[in-house]
Every structure is written in structure tokens, then in C-alpha cells.
Amino acid sequence: MVVVGIAASLWSIWEIRNKACFENSLPNNPVDVIFQVSHYISDWAIFQNKEEETRRLQKGGRLLK
């Protein structure tokens, strides 16, 4: 589960970096980064093998929002 959180964080940072470099667009609010991470955690929860891990990740994503 920790790997999903790390991957979501890195993926969000990568996307924001790409928008800043290629579209000259910075996030309006730093909280947008956290919201994006929580979105990915919730979305990627369905890829877990165990149902309990899926529920925990979905709950964690909701709490982070």
C-alpha cells in the first residue's frame, strides 16, 4: 500500500512538472497537488489483489481529500 502512495505522489509531481515545462502552467494552490495524489490513490486502489487493501486505499484517498 505504501508503494501506491509513493507512486501516486511521484506521478503527480511528474505531471505538474510537465505542465510547468511544456504549458507554462503552475498550480494555483499547493493543495491541488495533494488533491491530485488522493485522486490517484483512490483510482489505483482497484488494482490491489486483496479486497481489504482496496478498501484501505480508498478510505485513505477520501481522508486525504
Side-chain angles (χ1 to χ4, degrees):
M1 286 192 318
V2 173
V3 174
V4 175
I6 293 170
S9 299
L10 293 174
W11 191 262
S12 296
I13 292 168
W14 182 261
E15 281 192 334
I16 290 167
R17 176 228 171 248
N18 282 348
K19 284 184 181 180
C21 289
F22 301 120
E23 299 174 13
N24 294 325
S25 172
L26 294 174
N28 294 331
N29 192 342
V31 178
D32 292 343
V33 178
I34 296 170
F35 180 76
Q36 189 171 1
V37 170
S38 68
H39 173 74
Y40 283 129
I41 288 173
S42 297
D43 282 355
W44 294 349
I46 62 171
F47 297 116
Q48 298 302 305
N49 292 332
K50 297 179 183 173
E51 187 175 328
E52 178 64 28
E53 290 179 6
T54 300
R55 279 189 263 130
R56 285 184 185 171
L57 281 172
Q58 288 173 338
K59 183 178 179 184
R62 285 192 305 270
L63 290 173
L64 193 57
K65 285 181 186 177

